[in-house]
Amino acid sequence: MRDSAKQRISVTAFLTAAARAVESQRPDRLFDDPWAALLASSEGFTILEKGEDRGASIIVRTRYFDEWLQQLTFEEGLRQIVLPAAGLDTRAFRLDWPPATRFFELDLPAVVEYKEAQLQAHQAQPRCQRAIVATDLTSSGWESQLLQAGFEPALPSIWLVEGLFFYLPLAQTCQLLARLSRLAAPGSRLGFDAIHSAMLSSPLTRSRIQLTKQNGAPWIGAIDDPVSLLASFGWQASFVPNARKGYEYGRAIFPFIAPEALNAETEKLYHMLVTARRLSLEKQG
């Protein structure tokens, strides 16, 4: 382990890995991530214990997008998967993939250094073609780095951006969406999680918002209407509140509103699991 690299990794990456590690230990687990505990470090488990639902939102999100990715690759034939801000994700290692599936994982050099050192030390082998791009998504060069890694912009691709946009100002989110949209051919897919501004001000979610600040990673970036926002970039989108998927999967998510009390207003207090399809140029126009 490189301690210097570890010290430069956001606590949210360790938290996500810890949640996946704890879920993987359950007999009724929604997924199995055998490398999560190695990557989480003690920091991740410490932060996880402070949350009211012990990372249920992360667990539900992981399962939801596992299913989404597997459906798009096995049933619809997409073969390029791009993970901007990949963090400590191990889907390339823990899930089976069709032949010729290619993963492109983008993250800061410190994250890449730590993650690769841990995986190599434990001889983890990916189940697909995997390319690592050590880069800053706010820099001017990550697109060219992605192309140099073998990404083919003429072919449809899948873009999964987990656990990022609510940490960014909306303007920065829009910049990233614009940039990735230019690389996404018609028929490409996009998935991400987002929060509504109501979550930032509701008394029911105050303790969670305060906890994110205490962890040094406050939630600041709300997307109140992801469907309209993505339409402006040429995507046709829909979303589901993670609370509904949580009850479907058997994992209740804070603030623990009963299923029968979920409606258009109360659902704003939960993360939105957003998926979208890149439209053809004719339909965009």
Side-chain angles (χ1 to χ4, degrees), residues 11-26 31 36-37 40-62 208 211-212 214-215 252 254 256:
V11 295
T12 61
F14 292 127
L15 170 63
T16 299
R20 289 171 172 164
V22 171
E23 177 66 21
S24 298
Q25 295 170 358
R26 293 181 56 145
F31 52 82
S41 188
S42 59
E43 293 93 329
F45 293 106
T46 298
I47 298 169
L48 184 67
E49 287 301 313
K50 298 176 183 178
E52 296 90 344
D53 59 10
R54 300 299 189 269
S57 60
I58 295 170
I59 293 161
V60 169
R61 179 185 76 195
T62 300
R208 178 59 55 87
L211 183 59
T212 67
Q214 293 169 7
N215 291 338
F254 181 80
F256 306 125

Side-chain angles (χ1 to χ4, degrees), residues 192-203:
F192 62 84
D193 50 331
I195 63 172
H196 193 280
S197 57
M199 184 184 285
L200 298 175
S201 58
S202 172

Side-chain angles (χ1 to χ4, degrees), residues 239-262:
F239 67 89
V240 60
N242 68 351
R244 292 197 179 276
K245 297 304 294 187
Y247 284 121
E248 177 183 327
Y249 295 152
R251 302 291 185 273
I253 297 174
F254 181 80
F256 306 125
I257 297 173
E260 59 271 16
L262 289 175

Side-chain angles (χ1 to χ4, degrees), residues 156-173:
S157 49
I158 307 170
W159 297 73
L160 176 57
V161 190
E162 285 185 291
L164 177 63
F165 289 147
F166 38 90
Y167 297 113
L168 304 179
L170 182 58
Q172 197 169 339
T173 291

Side-chain angles (χ1 to χ4, degrees), residues 16 25 104 110 130 163 187 274:
T16 299
Q25 295 170 358
F104 300 88
R130 179 173 177 259
V274 183

